[in-house]
């Protein structure tokens, strides 16, 4: 007898439908799985056979052929255990149900018949809704994750026998529901706050501008000045995630397996800080079966690169294209996959190898130049703002005065982002000023004669590139948004130029 069960698999960050066809025939008892299964899928026949027996079902006698269609796409992981088991029961007349075509099933089986959690349930649920399915049967731990997809019945499954009982109509299982509005309201109080930072008002101002426009930042200063402390607090002043951004971020974290058990949605902007020994595959994604890297895990959040010159230069150079395009394409023999990576890059570094400013350093000019040359000019050009972090004075550290809180700064950032959303309402691909293209720069960054002359002199005196010209315009537009100004004023442009000129002083 032939049975068909609906399932799905993840390719990149999107899911595609997989039809599990099970045919129980005559001959020697043998289970054959076809359809380009990997090792984990092939091993499912042993897990499924034991789970069937321990759940009180009979293992089908004779030759059982299992086809995972489409047959020309490689299938990976243990998520096909549950649909294979259900298909074998249906093919051997141990399960009679007319609901097999209405539900998409995924789940790993334990030898006892219990259903274990799997990765990538959110993309699977989104695909099930797109395919017009009634609902999904998923492991109970993954049910909240799937329940964020509206218009879909999410059935939490504890074990194989429970799944069979539900499909036959003998067992009623309460659907999993999630209140999305409540998820966003349940923001934990941030343990980190800008109020903890003593002094560094100019750096706080720069980070506020960066957060308001989504700009990349490079912090340059000696050790102990608070570069890492400031960078770690940047995510506390970023605007809250929208539902669409939260779904995109959750999909990436889901397929990597970073969601906590029972977690439905990523509602806080991610903050990723990879060690400087990270490889290019770890940063961008890759391996034999491409998976998202750190830049994709930082999607809609912050990627913090501490001690920037200590990263391998070839690793840093791979960031050029993702910084420009907001996505990264990984090509391997098995195929190409594209992952989203719209993130804010915040980097920190010392001005010299021994950490001191150049005038106080004991390093030779040759050693300093060699140290700085680890960060290439093209990469620096893609960083919108270069900010000096000076040493904190004693009177600033010893004062009992508390600085401005993150919540107060965030209110101004949210107001500036709101102006940008209204400005780019007809262009959904542009989420902030940092994502503006050439047309948007012409339309929204028009300058009067005085401001244009100021920018012209800066371009000539500091020898800025054409890319730097665009970045200065974007930053000045953000400063104007923070000031609630429709027009970019002279002081807005002056501050933007100042935030761009530090690299000319340090690298020359």
């Amino acid at each position: 007898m032939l049975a068909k069960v609906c399932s799905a698999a993840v390719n990149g960050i999107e899911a595609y439908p997989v039809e599990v066809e099970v045919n129980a025939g005559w001959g020697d008892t043998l289970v054959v799985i076809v359809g380009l299964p990997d090792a984990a899928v092939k091993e499912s026949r042993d897990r499924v056979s034991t789970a069937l027996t321990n759940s009180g079902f009979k293992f089908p006698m004779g030759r059982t052929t299992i086809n995972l269609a489409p047959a020309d796409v490689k299938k990976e992981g243990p998520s096909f255990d549950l649909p294979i088991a259900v298909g074998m029961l249906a093919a051997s007349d141990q399960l009679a149900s007319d609901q097999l075509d209405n539900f998409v099933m995924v789940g790993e089986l334990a030898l006892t018949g219990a259903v274990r959690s799997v990765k990538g349930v959110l993309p699977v649920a989104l695909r099930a809704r797109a395919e017009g399915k009634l609902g999904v049967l998923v492991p109970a731990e993954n049910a909240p994750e799937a329940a964020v997809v509206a218009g879909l019945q999410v059935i939490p499954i504890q074990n194989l026998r429970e799944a069979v009982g539900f499909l036959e109509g003998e067992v009623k299982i309460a659907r999993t529901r999630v209140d999305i509005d409540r998820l966003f309201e349940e923001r934990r109080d941030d343990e980190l706050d800008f109020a903890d930072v003593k002094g560094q008002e100019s750096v706080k101002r720069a980070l506020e501008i960066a957060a308001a426009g989504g700009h990349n930042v490079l912090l340059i200063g000696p050790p102990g000045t608070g570069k890492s402390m400031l960078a770690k607090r940047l995510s506390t002043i970023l605007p809250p995630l929208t539902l669409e951004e939260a779904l995109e971020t959750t999909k990436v974290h889901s397929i990597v397996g970073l969601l906590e058990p029972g977690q439905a949605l990523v509602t806080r902007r991610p903050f990723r800080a990879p060690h400087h020994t990270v490889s290019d595959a770890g940063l961008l994604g890759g391996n034999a079966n491409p998976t998202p890297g750190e830049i994709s895990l930082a999607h809609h959040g912050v990627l913090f690169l501490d001690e920037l010159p200590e990263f391998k230069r070839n690793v840093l150079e791979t960031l050029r294209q993702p910084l420009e395009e907001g996505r990264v394409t990984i090509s391997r023999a098995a195929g190409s996959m594209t992952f989203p990576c719209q993130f804010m890059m915040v980097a920190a570094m010392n001005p010299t190898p021994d950490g001191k400013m150049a005038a106080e350093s004991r390093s030779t000019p040759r050693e300093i130049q060699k140290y700085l040359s680890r960060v290439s000019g093209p990469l620096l050009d893609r960083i919108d703002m270069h900010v000096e972090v000076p040493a904190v004075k004693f009177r600033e550290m010893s004062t009992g005065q508390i600085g401005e809180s993150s919540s107060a700064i965030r209110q101004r950032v949210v107001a500036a982002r709101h102006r940008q959303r209204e400005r780019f309402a007809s262009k959904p691909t542009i989420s902030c000023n940092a994502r503006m293209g050439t047309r948007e720069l012409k339309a929204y960054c028009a300058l009067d004669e005085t401001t244009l002359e100021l920018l012209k002199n800066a371009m000539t005196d500091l020898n800025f590139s054409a890319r730097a010209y665009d970045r200065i315009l974007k930053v000045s537009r953000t400063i104007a948004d923070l000031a609630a100004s429709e027009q970019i004023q002279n002081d807005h442009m002056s501050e933007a130029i100042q935030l761009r000129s530090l690299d000319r002083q340090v690298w020359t």
Side-chain angles (χ1 to χ4, degrees):
M1 182 178 176
L2 177 65
K4 296 181 181 180
V5 179
C6 299
S7 186
V10 177
N11 183 27
I13 65 166
E14 303 295 337
Y16 62 94
V18 174
E19 190 174 67
V20 180
E21 301 174 322
V22 181
N23 184 76
W26 299 98
D28 296 334
T29 301
L30 180 66
V31 177
V32 178
I33 301 178
V34 296
L36 287 183
D38 72 346
V41 179
K42 291 179 180 178
E43 291 172 352
S44 66
R45 56 191 169 198
D46 298 315
R47 290 192 298 271
V48 169
S49 61
T50 307
L52 288 173
T53 303
N54 290 335
S55 298
F57 298 104
K58 296 179 180 179
F59 185 77
M61 304 302 292
R63 181 184 177 90
T64 302
T65 303
I66 301 168
N67 180 43
L68 306 178
D72 60 342
V73 181
K74 189 172 184 179
K75 316 303 186 305
E76 302 170 354
S79 61
F80 298 108
D81 288 4
L82 179 60
I84 288 175
V86 171
M88 292 177 70
L89 291 175
S92 59
D93 294 328
Q94 298 182 72
L95 167 64
S97 174
D98 57 357
Q99 297 294 317
L100 295 182
D101 192 50
N102 294 330
F103 289 89
V104 171
M105 307 177 200
V106 290
E108 177 185 349
L109 286 179
L111 299 184
T112 59
V115 180
R116 292 172 173 164
S117 62
V118 294
K119 301 176 183 178
V121 169
L122 177 57
V124 169
L126 290 169
R127 172 52 59 184
R129 184 178 66 179
E131 294 290 321
K133 299 298 182 182
L134 182 64
V136 291
L137 270 64
V138 297
E141 288 186 6
N142 298 125
E145 177 187 345
V148 301
V149 181
L152 197 68
Q153 295 184 21
V154 178
I155 310 301
I157 300 299
Q158 298 281 356
N159 53 65
L160 178 58
R161 181 161 285 282
E162 189 177 62
V164 172
F166 172 80
L167 292 171
E168 290 183 332
E170 297 178 356
V171 176
K172 292 185 178 181
I173 303 176
R175 305 174 192 172
T176 300
R177 291 181 172 86
V178 171
D179 187 345
I180 295 179
D181 293 334
R182 186 176 179 181
L183 291 177
F184 282 97
E185 292 173 358
E186 292 177 349
R187 287 179 55 91
R188 300 188 302 270
D189 293 335
D190 293 312
E191 297 178 358
L192 305 177
D193 197 293
F194 268 94
D196 304 329
V197 182
K198 302 289 187 179
Q200 304 294 16
E201 297 304 322
S202 62
V203 186
K204 292 179 184 178
R205 166 66 177 173
L207 292 179
E208 178 181 339
I209 295 170
H215 303 289
N216 302 318
V217 188
L218 174 62
L219 304 177
I220 307 175
T225 54
K227 299 187 296 296
S228 300
M229 184 179 186
L230 287 158
K232 290 176 181 178
R233 282 157 176 76
L234 178 59
S235 58
T236 66
I237 64 173
L238 290 173
L241 285 169
T242 64
L243 177 58
E244 182 180 355
E245 290 174 338
L247 286 172
E248 291 180 359
T249 305
T250 304
K251 283 201 295 185
V252 177
H253 286 241
S254 175
I255 64 177
V256 179
L258 292 182
L259 294 182
E260 299 176 1
Q263 183 179 2
L265 201 63
V266 176
T267 57
R268 297 165 63 89
R269 294 191 180 271
F271 180 90
R272 304 293 299 182
H275 193 260
H276 61 77
T277 57
V278 67
S279 65
D280 53 354
L283 193 63
L284 268 69
N287 299 320
N289 300 316
T291 54
E294 290 291 339
I295 63 174
S296 295
L297 292 172
H299 187 48
H300 293 311
V302 177
L303 177 71
F304 178 45
L305 303 180
D306 200 7
E307 303 296 344
L308 186 65
E310 300 300 328
F311 285 79
K312 297 176 183 177
R313 178 157 180 166
N314 68 299
V315 173
L316 291 179
E317 293 306 299
T318 60
L319 288 173
R320 292 192 198 178
Q321 183 180 1
L323 284 173
E324 291 284 348
E325 299 183 359
R327 63 180 184 274
V328 58
T329 300
I330 308 297
S331 297
R332 294 292 184 269
S336 298
M337 294 185 185
T338 300
F339 301 115
C341 56
Q342 290 189 16
F343 59 91
M344 280 182 60
M345 188 180 85
V346 181
M349 62 176 291
N350 299 325
T352 60
D354 59 7
K356 299 180 180 179
M357 300 303 292
E360 305 171 353
S361 176
R362 294 183 179 181
S363 302
T364 64
R366 182 184 180 87
E367 291 172 339
I368 294 175
Q369 185 60 36
K370 183 179 179 181
Y371 173 77
L372 295 176
S373 65
R374 297 179 186 175
V375 184
S376 68
L379 180 61
L380 280 174
D381 227 16
R382 287 168 168 81
I383 301 178
D384 304 24
M385 301 162 56
H386 309 141
V387 183
E388 181 179 5
V389 186
V392 184
K393 298 178 181 178
F394 174 77
R395 57 185 173 84
E396 294 176 334
M397 290 188 293
S398 59
T399 182
Q401 184 177 359
I402 299 176
E404 190 174 22
S405 67
S406 292
S407 60
I409 301 174
R410 185 168 56 241
Q411 289 179 3
R412 297 194 294 269
V413 170
V414 169
R417 286 286 185 107
H418 179 69
R419 297 184 184 97
Q420 294 167 42
R421 284 198 303 271
E422 291 182 338
R423 181 182 302 132
F424 306 127
S426 61
K427 300 176 181 179
T429 57
I430 302 177
S431 57
C432 56
N433 287 336
R435 296 292 168 187
M436 284 193 292
T438 305
R439 293 183 180 180
E440 290 74 34
L441 286 175
K442 291 181 180 180
Y444 306 118
C445 298
L447 305 177
D448 57 30
E449 292 185 4
T450 304
T451 309
L452 185 61
E453 185 66 21
L454 174 63
L455 179 56
K456 176 184 175 182
N457 293 335
M459 292 287 295
T460 304
D461 296 341
L462 297 174
N463 194 26
F464 284 134
S465 66
R467 182 180 286 112
Y469 172 84
D470 290 347
R471 304 277 175 172
I472 292 172
L473 282 178
K474 293 176 182 179
V475 174
S476 63
R477 178 67 266 173
T478 299
I479 297 172
D481 288 339
L482 282 168
S485 173
E486 290 296 328
Q487 183 72 24
I488 298 176
Q489 306 293 339
N490 209 44
D491 55 340
H492 304 152
M493 180 59 68
S494 298
E495 187 173 8
I497 293 172
Q498 183 182 8
L499 290 170
R500 184 73 195 194
S501 58
L502 179 62
D503 68 312
R504 302 297 167 181
Q505 303 171 26
V506 174
W507 267 260
T508 58

